[in-house]
Amino acid sequence: MSVLTTANLGFPRMGLHRELKFALESFWSGKTGEDDLLAVARDLRRRHWLLQQQAGISIIPSNDFSLYDQLLDAMVLVGATPARYGDSHVGGVRAGLRRYFDMARNSAEQPALEMTKWFDTNYHYLVPEWSAGLHFQADPTSVVEAFEAARSLGITTRPVLIGPITLLLLGKSVDGIEPLSLLPKLLTAYEAVLRALVEAGATQVQLDEPMLVTDLAPEWKRVYDTAYAVLAMQPLQITVATYFGTLGDNLEVAATLPVSGLHIDLVRAPEQLDAMLAALPPEKTLSLGIVDGRNIWRTEYAVAKSLIDRAVGVLGSQRVVVAPSCSLLHVPVDKTGEDKLPKGLFERLSFAVQKLDEVRYLATADAQAFAANAAYFDEQRRLAAEPSLVREKLARLSETDFSRPQAYAERAPLQRAALHLPLLPTTTIGSFPQTQEVRSRRAAWRKGQIDDAAYEKFLEEATADCIRRQEELGLDVLVHGEFERNDMVEYFGEQLDGFAFTRNGWVQSYGSRCVKPPVIYADVHRPEPMTVRWSKFAQSRTSKPMKGMLTGPVTILQWSFVRNDIPESETTFQIALALREEIEDLERAGIGVIQVDEPALREGLPLRKSEYAAYLDWAVKAFRLATSSVKPETQVHTHMCYAEFETILPAIAALDADVISMESARSKMALLRDFKAQGYPNEIGPGVWDIHATRVPSQDEVHSLLDMALESLRTEQLWVNPDCGLKTRQWPETEASLRNMVAAAKAVREELAKK
Ligand code: GLN
Ligand code: ZN
């Protein structure tokens, strides 16, 4: 086989040691200036280009780097910055750096753009705002600057732009304008950008159109062809990149676009290859996304090679490109420094740098690399076939293990009697302020500067103090405050078998924010109780019910890197089983209320509607597996921090949690109408204090929210609580807000008693 062309779609921006994060934060705090920030940014970009060149990648991207977010850059590029940022466009990142960051981060005079998840990843982008008054005046300065900077290193890059249709679809209309009507103006701006690139010497461009893997309305499907016909008039080879799933019913549209190449994701959707090979017109190249850009595992060459062979068989080697499935933005930079991993894990990992090597080995069919890879995977399969206690336990489960023996209607009175709760019980979501002191004690303990005993003593004092304050405030169901937890997933991962933690496995979440997801690499198992010690201690300090606090199975899965050798559902069930054992232990320790947080349940929703049902089915089952072995008197709570429930309301009801708390202060209880419409039977705590704002809600404000809630709910259904955990708040505002919340609940109770 001859050597195939290799390409990369994008490289992580932050740097191995999060250099960009620190440079940004130092700039924002005023410690360093614009030149310092840009120097760090340029150095990272340069290093990453050279690294890709050394890896032997033939098509290297530029403009994949961003100081904050690629969608924000795209808005600047086409001059589509919202009116409230002034009439003129930002005018190049350099010239308008301050305003560029204001759009992302808020300033006194300029509220930030909304942020939302980039498809089904944990990356968040800034949502473009469409309005009739937009000028769309192209400003190619930064794209051209990036292209030229790479060329000065001897690298002729393929600039990356968000495709125009994906850009329009990801934005939101702020004045009722139909985004599609902006397409002609937007295309004119894109043409100007492409022209500037041609003038700078570019011969290729990558236009990302991941919206092609989603359900598209017919009017959007229809414009793809004409839009690209306009862009294709520029003397540039355009590759349209699709990723994160199968093209499905958009395959024909994608295959026949009037462009020179198409990239498809064969990791998420290998089954689309044959249909694509049949549909692809002659002359067009096909870029095969065969190295997983979304996960951290080594590629099995035999599997990837069979896809390559099929493509080469039909298209010939000239028309096939080998690439990662999507931009490598979603994986950490380099595994080289990972020296603290459990045995055997290092060999299994592949971060961005390793993935580029894999692309090269695949393109060259490197015999030595292939032999080593095959031997390795044979051994893995042998190990995977060994019996596992967890898998045996899961195999023994029956239907009854997934539901509570009594229905909610029977459980509710038993719980009310056992817990002695008033109407409209008050509670909080779990965490209380993680003050500077809490964080510095934990850091000192981690560094070995204070011993276990001293740290435990500190945590006991913090917990006891938190309970005293809650009693003084008059809350009905107390929490221990979560002072012992750094992060709601990491805390559990550290105590469960099957989880590993990396040193540098950072992934950008948004702006300068990075996360270091735990790595689930083996069967999940709970060697011993995880939270019982703290819940028991907390319960011993009060006669009020103490709520046990756990992170749910779906959320633990969603916020980790997960195995790719077994289905996600199976890993989730393993986690659920561990939580089930924990919940049983909590119950035995005298905890009568247990909350299982699932803030990530909704974000796990697949991109295609046709796949919702299968996902929700196992997600709900996992929650029920975790929570259904308790006595009817034991009250199960869940919490979710979002308000858009419409699509998943039946699934929320199917969780059969006795109480659900969720965000709703900002939306003024709008979601309760949906709950009412669908006849949601169990108890609900719609948040009455927007904890993302620093202001203290007045008693009247809470009172009127509760009145609103009672328009949709029965009195016995309503709980009173904030929107979310209080970890990021300070004590004074926390106490003031909760005091008003409790007072409002009492006032409403009195009014109800008079009726
Ligand atoms: N129990 C968690 C807390 O209060 C819930 C966090 C969340 O909803 N993301 O912090
Ligand atoms: Zn929350």
Side-chain angles (χ1 to χ4, degrees):
M1 192 180 87
S2 55
V3 172
L4 300 171
T5 303
T6 53
N8 186 30
L9 273 56
F11 197 82
R13 308 156 183 155
M14 279 294 145
L16 178 59
H17 300 292
R18 290 178 293 159
E19 292 89 331
L20 182 58
K21 172 194 178 67
F22 299 116
L24 282 168
E25 288 171 2
S26 153
F27 171 72
W28 291 335
S29 73
K31 283 200 205 89
T32 45
E34 196 165 308
D35 289 337
D36 304 295
L37 170 61
L38 294 179
V40 171
R42 288 206 193 92
D43 181 53
L44 280 169
R45 216 171 48 167
R46 184 175 150 272
R47 267 160 41 198
H48 296 160
W49 278 324
L50 292 173
L51 207 142
Q52 295 174 77
Q53 186 185 42
Q54 277 149 23
I57 300 298
S58 23
I59 301 173
I60 295 173
S62 62
N63 197 47
D64 55 331
F65 186 84
S66 173
L67 284 172
Y68 199 96
D69 168 45
Q70 70 266 20
L71 266 282
L72 180 56
D73 293 1
M75 286 183 257
V76 173
L77 180 71
V78 298
T81 51
R84 65 170 182 268
Y85 298 102
D87 261 349
S88 64
H89 57 101
V90 170
V93 166
R94 167 115 211 192
L97 209 51
R98 209 182 67 84
R99 279 168 82 201
Y100 173 84
F101 287 130
D102 282 351
M103 281 194 276
R105 313 178 56 235
N106 250 349
S107 67
E109 62 277 20
Q110 304 186 321
L113 293 168
E114 190 188 312
M115 199 168 64
T116 194
K117 276 164 63 73
W118 176 243
F119 296 85
D120 60 352
T121 72
N122 282 326
Y123 178 81
H124 300 73
Y125 68 91
L126 293 163
V127 180
E129 294 184 353
W130 305 132
S131 60
L134 282 179
H135 298 317
F136 290 110
Q137 191 179 353
D139 180 2
T141 328
S142 57
V143 191
V144 170
E145 186 273 329
F147 179 77
E148 286 173 345
R151 199 175 40 194
S152 72
L153 299 170
I155 302 172
T156 302
T157 53
R158 178 171 74 183
V160 185
L161 307 172
I162 307 282
I165 300 182
T166 291
L167 180 64
L168 278 181
L169 279 165
L170 291 178
K172 61 169 190 196
S173 170
V174 290
D175 61 358
I177 193 175
E178 171 53 52
L180 191 53
S181 68
L182 297 171
L183 184 60
K185 279 204 257 179
L186 180 63
L187 286 175
T188 309
Y190 267 81
E191 279 185 277
V193 172
L194 297 187
R195 223 177 295 123
L197 283 170
V198 172
E199 275 160 31
T203 55
Q204 306 189 46
V205 66
Q206 170 189 325
L207 288 168
D208 285 5
E209 289 285 1
M211 283 308 289
L212 282 166
V213 308
T214 65
D215 300 320
L216 288 173
E219 67 270 24
W220 285 98
K221 236 173 165 161
R222 232 175 290 129
V223 293
Y224 260 99
D225 188 67
T226 44
Y228 275 86
V230 172
L231 301 182
M233 290 188 322
Q234 298 302 320
L236 271 174
Q237 291 182 344
I238 297 176
T239 295
V240 168
T242 71
Y243 40 78
F244 300 153
T246 180
L247 288 163
D249 57 349
N250 303 323
L251 187 131
E252 197 62 35
V253 171
T256 57
L257 284 176
V259 295
S260 53
L262 186 68
H263 172 89
I264 56 174
D265 186 338
L266 295 178
V267 174
R268 281 277 178 93
E271 72 285 354
Q272 65 180 335
L273 178 62
D274 290 326
M276 180 51 75
L277 292 174
L280 201 72
E283 307 306 320
K284 204 175 272 191
T285 52
L286 187 64
S287 169
L288 312 178
I290 44 172
V291 167
D292 194 349
R294 291 288 299 274
N295 211 336
I296 52 173
W297 307 111
R298 194 167 166 178
T299 305
E300 185 166 6
Y301 292 165
V303 175
K305 178 74 163 43
S306 78
L307 296 168
I308 296 177
D309 287 348
R310 258 147 68 196
V312 170
V314 176
L315 306 176
S317 55
Q318 293 306 310
R319 290 171 60 202
V320 173
V321 177
V322 177
S325 59
C326 58
S327 166
L328 299 175
L329 181 68
H330 312 289
V331 293
V333 178
D334 187 356
K335 72 166 184 173
T336 310
E338 299 296 340
D339 53 7
K340 281 271 178 304
L341 297 172
K343 195 170 156 289
L345 182 53
F346 183 83
E347 290 68 29
R348 280 172 66 186
L349 295 178
S350 172
F351 292 178
V353 169
Q354 288 72 43
K355 284 176 190 291
L356 295 176
D357 287 337
E358 293 184 326
V359 167
R360 184 187 65 247
Y361 287 137
L362 284 165
T364 54
D366 184 290
Q368 222 179 337
F370 268 61
N373 188 276
Y376 175 79
F377 277 95
D378 284 345
E379 172 67 4
Q380 287 302 304
R381 261 184 287 275
R382 195 188 60 73
L383 291 174
E386 282 174 10
S388 133
L389 199 68
V390 183
R391 271 176 275 146
E392 278 163 27
K393 274 193 206 166
L394 282 175
R396 276 200 303 272
L397 293 176
S398 72
E399 277 302 306
T400 54
D401 293 311
F402 291 85
S403 54
R404 297 184 70 171
Q406 283 86 353
Y408 167 76
E410 293 163 50
R411 302 190 307 257
L414 298 174
Q415 292 168 11
R416 239 162 259 152
L419 298 169
H420 310 291
L421 294 176
L423 273 179
L424 276 58
T426 55
T427 190
T428 58
I429 307 304
S431 58
F432 267 87
Q434 292 247 333
T435 55
Q436 185 51 43
E437 188 181 16
V438 173
R439 280 179 280 133
S440 65
R441 291 286 180 124
R442 183 184 308 126
W445 169 69
R446 293 221 162 198
K447 286 190 204 122
Q449 290 160 351
I450 58 172
D451 63 14
D452 291 359
Y455 181 54
E456 296 258 310
K457 185 158 170 287
F458 167 75
L459 290 176
E460 286 192 353
E461 280 162 10
T463 307
D465 172 63
C466 175
I467 292 166
R468 259 194 311 275
R469 294 190 201 226
Q470 292 174 74
E471 288 197 320
E472 190 269 322
L473 287 163
L475 287 154
D476 300 309
V477 173
L478 310 195
V479 297
H480 73 283
E482 301 182 27
F483 303 105
E484 76 288 7
R485 302 183 191 180
N486 33 355
D487 171 277
M488 62 186 292
V489 171
E490 193 174 69
Y491 183 74
F492 291 92
E494 281 175 342
Q495 302 186 68
L496 289 166
D497 289 347
F499 282 76
F501 292 85
T502 60
R503 280 184 185 282
N504 298 313
W506 296 100
V507 182
Q508 187 175 12
S509 169
Y510 63 89
S512 68
R513 253 297 272 277
C514 299
V515 294
K516 188 151 68 69
V519 177
I520 306 179
Y521 69 98
D523 284 342
V524 175
H525 177 249
R526 186 193 74 139
E528 49 188 69
M530 303 182 282
T531 63
V532 176
R533 182 237 185 276
W534 287 111
S535 287
K536 220 167 129 177
F537 170 80
Q539 184 66 85
S540 76
R541 291 304 169 112
T542 180
S543 54
K544 296 261 178 92
M546 176 59 57
K547 186 155 66 164
M549 198 59 60
L550 303 170
T551 303
V554 179
T555 298
I556 292 183
L557 180 99
Q558 285 297 329
W559 294 349
S560 302
F561 280 120
V562 296
R563 294 167 65 171
N564 63 354
D565 57 339
I566 60 172
E568 286 183 4
S569 55
E570 203 173 314
T571 301
T572 316
F573 286 161
Q574 294 183 0
I575 303 167
L577 201 57
L579 291 170
R580 180 182 176 101
E581 291 167 6
E582 182 72 12
I583 290 170
E584 288 167 6
D585 280 341
L586 281 170
E587 187 180 58
R588 262 192 293 276
I591 304 299
V593 185
I594 299 167
Q595 178 172 312
V596 179
D597 292 327
E598 282 290 25
L601 184 82
R602 190 176 183 285
E603 51 180 73
L605 216 55
L607 294 173
R608 296 274 192 177
K609 285 210 175 61
S610 59
E611 288 160 20
Y612 282 11
Y615 161 75
L616 289 171
D617 180 63
W618 63 253
V620 167
K621 269 198 187 135
F623 184 90
R624 295 175 62 127
L625 175 60
T627 54
S628 54
S629 62
V630 289
K631 294 184 296 213
E633 295 82 352
T634 299
Q635 190 170 60
V636 173
H637 288 222
T638 188
H639 165 71
M640 299 175 188
C641 2
Y642 43 84
E644 317 85 56
F645 277 99
E646 307 87 80
T647 40
I648 59 164
L649 206 58
I652 305 277
L655 296 176
D656 196 24
D658 297 299
V659 183
I660 178 174
S661 62
M662 69 241 163
E663 186 178 306
S664 49
R666 246 187 250 192
S667 63
K668 299 253 179 288
M669 310 281 134
L671 78 159
L672 291 182
R673 281 190 286 276
D674 298 330
F675 275 80
K676 187 185 185 181
Q678 302 229 6
Y680 184 83
N682 303 9
E683 291 156 56
I684 311 176
V688 290
W689 164 25
D690 171 14
I691 62 95
H692 301 290
T694 40
R695 53 183 285 283
V696 171
S698 68
Q699 181 184 330
D700 283 352
E701 200 178 320
V702 176
H703 196 123
S704 71
L705 286 173
L706 292 175
D707 284 343
M708 257 182 247
L710 285 172
E711 285 166 22
S712 303
L713 301 176
R714 288 175 284 117
T715 15
E716 312 76 53
Q717 270 184 298
L718 184 60
W719 281 65
V720 182
N721 48 259
D723 266 352
C724 194
L726 306 172
K727 197 167 155 171
T728 56
R729 303 275 58 105
Q730 301 298 319
W731 273 112
E733 64 192 86
T734 297
E735 287 187 305
S737 304
L738 292 178
R739 204 176 303 284
N740 292 346
M741 186 185 93
V742 171
K746 285 190 177 146
V748 178
R749 275 176 213 155
E750 277 162 26
E751 282 173 16
L752 290 169
K754 282 192 216 121
K755 273 186 195 166

